[in-house]
Amino acid sequence: MSSILQEIETEIAGLKTSVTKSNVGVVREIGDGVAKVEGLSDAMLNEMIEFPGGLFGLALNLEETEVGCVLLGSGENIKAGDEVKTTGRLLSVPVGKGLLGRVVNTLGEPLDGKGPIKADQFYPVEKIAPGIITRKSVSVPVQTGIMSIDAMIPIGRGQRELIIGDRATGKTTIAIDTIISQAKQNKAAEQGKLSGHKPIYCIYVSIGQKQSSVARTIKILEDAGAMEYTVIVNASASDSAVSQYLAPYAGCSIGEWFMDQGQDALIVFDDLSKQAVAYRQVSLVLKRPSGREAYPGDVFYLHSRLLERAARVNENYGGGSMTALPIVETQAGDVSAYIPTNVISITDGQIFLETDLFYQGIRPAISVGLSVSRVGSAAQTKAIKKVSGTTKLDLAQFRELQAFAQFGSDLDAATKQKLDRGARIVELFKQQQYQPKSLPIMVASLYAMQKGYFDNVPVDRIRECQGKLEEYLSTRKEALMDKLGNEKTLDNVETDLKTALEDFKASWK
C-alpha cells in the first residue's frame, strides 16, 4: 500500500514541476522592439519564442523572473497580457545552392520577388566555430584581381582580411571587385580555360545601408555576370536593429554550408561598424549595462564568434573553406578607436585605405605602411611571388623618400632611381573599379615593371602603356597567357614572356 502511495506522491510532484516549468508565458511589457515575458521558466538563450499572429522573438535576456525577447518583425499588434510559448528551436536560416543568385533578408526570406527559396536544409544562425584539430593552414590564394592586393597583401582561402578606412574611400569597391574576380575565374574554369580551379561562391552581407546602395551593388554584380555565384543578405537601414545585428551570422551560416560540402566560400560583411551600433542599440533597450563608448561589454565577443567561423578545414572534414572580408569604417582615419582595434585583433591582417591617397587619384587608395597580411606569401601563386618580391619595399621606400624629396632639390642618383621606380609602381597599381585583372595579366605587368621595361616610359604615360600591353597580350599572345594562367609559374614561360614584352616594346611608340 505504501509503495502505491509513494508512486502517487511522485506523480503529483511531477505534475507540480511540469506546471511551474510551463513553456507558456505572458507578455508583461512591450516597447522598442523588446518584449518582457513572465513565466517562461524553460526558455533557452537564442531560442525562438512564438508570439500571437505568427511573429517570433529571440530570447536574449534570461533573468530570474522574466525573459527579455527581441522581436524579429513588427510588434505593433502585440500587447501586454498576450500569451507566448517557447518553440525549442534555435533561430535558423535556409542554406544550399538554391540561394545563389538571390537576395534574402536576415531570416533567409526572399526580397527579390523571384518566388520562394528552394532549400531543404536549415542551419542555426549561431554556430560554434571549427576547432584547431579541424582546421588546416591557409595556403591556397583568393585571387582578388586587384594588382596591389595580390602582389603586396595576398589573401588566402580561409583567411580573415579586414578592409578598413574612412567613409567613401572605396572599401565596398574592393569587396565587389573580389566577388567579380571569383565569378570570372569560375566561368573560365567551367569553360575549360582554367585547369585545377576550385570555384568560390560568394555571400555579400549588407548591414544598415540605404536600399539604393544595395540595389546599385546588385546591378553591378548582375552586369558583371557574378550574381549566379553570389548570395546577398540584406538588412538595410530601414530594417530593425535586431535584423542588422543578426544578418552577418545568417550570412555566415549560408557560407558554412558550402564549407561543409567541401567547397570554398567568400563572405563580405559590409560593414561591422554598423552591426556593432545595432547591437549596442539592442543591448541598451534590453537594459544591459554599457561600457566604453556606450557599447556593451561583450561587443568584442560579438565579432570574434562571427569571424572565428571563417576557416579552412582539413580533408577529414571535407577540405572546404570560408574566407571573410569584414569591412570597418573609421572616423577621420582613427584606427585606434574601440571597434577598429577589436576587429584588427581578431583578423589575420588589414587593408587600410587612406583618404588622402583617394583624393590624389591613387585608387585603390591602399596605405602600404598600415596594410598587412599575416598569412603573407604562403597564399601566393609562385608566379606572383616571384615578380612581386621587392614591390612592397620599393613602394614603402618611395613613400618615405617622397616626403624628403619635397624639401631637397639636389638628389643623388640612387635616390632619384628609387623615386622614379616608386612613381611608376604607383601608376601601375592604379586600377579602374569593377574591372579585376586576370592572374597572367598581373604577372606580365609586374614582370615588365621588375625587369625595367617601363623605365623609359614617361610616368604620365604608364597607364596608357600598361593598357596597350594588356590588350596586346590578351589578343595576340592568348596561348602564352593561358599557359601562364594554368601553370601559375614562370618556369616554362619566362623566355616566351620576355620575347613578347620585347616585341611589344619595339612596336609601342
Side-chain angles (χ1 to χ4, degrees):
M1 186 71 181
S2 62
S3 63
I4 295 169
L5 279 172
Q6 272 179 334
E7 275 180 34
I8 292 167
E9 277 174 8
T10 313
E11 266 187 49
I12 290 168
L15 282 169
K16 275 182 183 171
T17 52
S18 69
V19 170
T20 53
K21 278 202 167 185
S22 154
N23 275 348
V24 176
V26 174
V27 175
R28 189 169 63 77
E29 64 173 91
I30 184 155
D32 297 322
V34 166
K36 299 284 175 70
V37 181
E38 282 179 340
L40 293 182
S41 50
D42 257 6
M44 301 180 288
L45 188 68
N46 280 342
E47 184 181 0
M48 288 174 77
I49 309 294
E50 194 176 336
F51 285 78
L55 180 73
F56 286 96
L58 201 62
L60 281 186
N61 268 19
L62 303 182
E63 290 162 30
E64 272 188 61
T65 55
E66 62 183 29
V67 173
C69 295
V70 290
L71 302 178
L72 302 168
S74 168
E76 290 170 0
N77 302 323
I78 309 295
K79 57 189 185 303
D82 281 350
E83 203 174 77
V84 300
K85 56 176 185 281
T86 54
T87 60
R89 287 188 295 127
L90 292 171
L91 181 61
S92 302
V93 287
V95 293
K97 283 200 171 177
L99 285 148
L100 290 172
R102 301 300 299 268
V103 183
V104 297
N105 66 8
T106 304
L107 301 175
E109 297 161 349
L111 296 173
D112 50 12
K114 293 180 182 173
I117 302 272
K118 294 181 181 71
D120 49 8
Q121 252 183 305
F122 284 79
Y123 267 25
V125 162
E126 295 263 12
K127 253 177 106 188
I128 293 174
I132 297 291
I133 305 300
T134 321
R135 291 175 186 251
K136 189 182 180 185
S137 63
V138 174
S139 59
V140 183
V142 172
Q143 223 71 56
T144 64
I146 301 165
M147 195 148 50
S148 47
I149 293 177
D150 289 342
M152 300 187 296
I153 319 152
I155 300 171
R157 297 188 186 194
Q159 191 176 341
R160 300 152 302 180
E161 184 78 10
L162 171 65
I163 303 170
I164 183 167
D166 281 8
R167 193 178 160 273
T169 47
K171 301 185 296 297
T172 302
T173 304
I174 284 181
I176 293 171
D177 275 351
T178 307
I179 292 173
I180 294 171
S181 176
Q182 304 322 312
K184 282 186 172 177
Q185 291 171 73
N186 294 351
K187 276 191 180 139
E190 283 170 12
Q191 292 161 3
K193 291 179 184 172
L194 200 59
S195 61
H197 174 76
K198 193 176 171 188
I200 295 184
Y201 298 98
C202 305
I203 298 100
Y204 177 80
V205 184
S206 162
I207 309 151
Q209 292 185 39
K210 290 183 294 189
Q211 294 280 26
S212 57
S213 306
V214 182
R216 190 170 62 242
T217 301
I218 295 166
K219 178 82 169 66
I220 291 160
L221 292 174
E222 278 175 350
D223 291 348
M227 262 316 273
E228 59 186 282
Y229 304 102
T230 309
V231 184
I232 291 183
V233 181
N234 179 27
S236 68
S238 56
D239 288 358
S240 68
V242 180
S243 290
Q244 293 178 45
Y245 141 61
L246 289 171
Y249 299 103
C252 218
S253 295
I254 293 167
E256 264 174 335
W257 181 86
F258 289 104
M259 182 167 76
D260 292 347
Q261 305 305 308
Q263 294 169 332
D264 291 340
L266 169 83
I267 185 161
V268 175
F269 303 113
D270 190 5
D271 64 78
L272 292 188
S273 316
K274 292 194 181 80
Q275 189 212 8
V277 169
Y279 184 63
R280 171 168 65 186
Q281 194 177 325
V282 170
S283 293
L284 294 176
V285 169
L286 282 167
K287 305 272 194 297
R288 290 182 180 180
S290 58
R292 181 172 159 192
E293 292 179 29
Y295 286 105
D298 63 342
V299 78
F300 181 91
Y301 182 55
L302 172 82
H303 290 148
S304 64
R305 72 177 189 264
L306 170 71
L307 293 167
E308 281 297 323
R309 288 163 71 176
R312 182 176 178 217
V313 295
N314 60 40
E315 277 66 34
N316 300 336
Y317 295 88
S321 77
M322 183 162 70
T323 312
L325 295 181
I327 295 175
V328 163
E329 190 177 293
T330 52
Q331 308 288 329
D334 183 13
V335 193
S336 61
Y338 189 28
I339 300 301
T341 46
N342 276 357
V343 184
I344 284 170
S345 63
I346 295 162
T347 48
D348 312 308
Q350 69 274 351
I351 296 165
F352 183 72
L353 302 176
E354 270 187 90
T355 316
D356 291 350
L357 292 176
F358 187 82
Y359 290 131
Q360 285 168 30
I362 299 168
R363 299 172 190 179
I366 294 167
S367 161
V368 188
L370 290 174
S371 301
V372 65
S373 168
R374 296 193 188 102
V375 171
S377 58
Q380 254 180 330
T381 51
K382 284 181 181 172
I384 284 266
K385 195 187 289 191
K386 189 170 182 180
V387 294
S388 65
T390 59
T391 311
K392 193 170 185 184
L393 184 65
D394 290 344
L395 206 47
Q397 283 180 334
F398 167 70
R399 292 254 191 268
E400 288 289 316
L401 290 169
Q402 206 180 15
F404 289 110
Q406 288 172 348
F407 306 110
S409 54
D410 49 335
L411 300 167
D412 61 286
T415 307
K416 266 186 183 162
Q417 198 239 332
K418 277 178 183 165
L419 284 167
D420 284 350
R421 170 57 60 96
R424 282 171 172 77
I425 294 173
V426 168
E427 287 299 315
L428 195 74
F429 280 166
K430 286 181 184 176
Q431 202 168 322
Q432 287 286 325
Q433 60 177 6
Y434 316 134
Q435 290 176 16
K437 298 178 191 292
S438 66
L439 173 76
I441 290 290
M442 288 193 284
V443 171
S445 296
L446 286 163
Y447 184 82
M449 169 58 67
Q450 194 188 42
K451 297 295 180 188
Y453 287 99
F454 290 129
D455 283 1
N456 61 352
V457 179
V459 174
D460 58 353
R461 291 192 68 192
I462 290 282
R463 296 285 303 282
E464 181 195 339
C465 182
Q466 183 191 5
K468 293 287 185 206
L469 172 64
E470 288 177 8
E471 189 187 323
Y472 171 81
L473 292 171
S474 307
T475 53
R476 300 201 199 171
K477 300 288 176 186
E478 212 174 333
L480 173 64
M481 291 293 102
D482 287 349
K483 191 178 180 186
L484 181 53
N486 285 318
E487 292 189 3
K488 295 181 176 57
T489 169
L490 281 171
D491 296 347
N492 302 322
V493 295
E494 191 167 359
T495 319
D496 294 340
L497 184 58
K498 265 185 189 171
T499 313
L501 290 172
E502 278 156 15
D503 290 351
F504 166 75
K505 205 67 201 293
S507 66
W508 190 76
K509 293 286 180 286

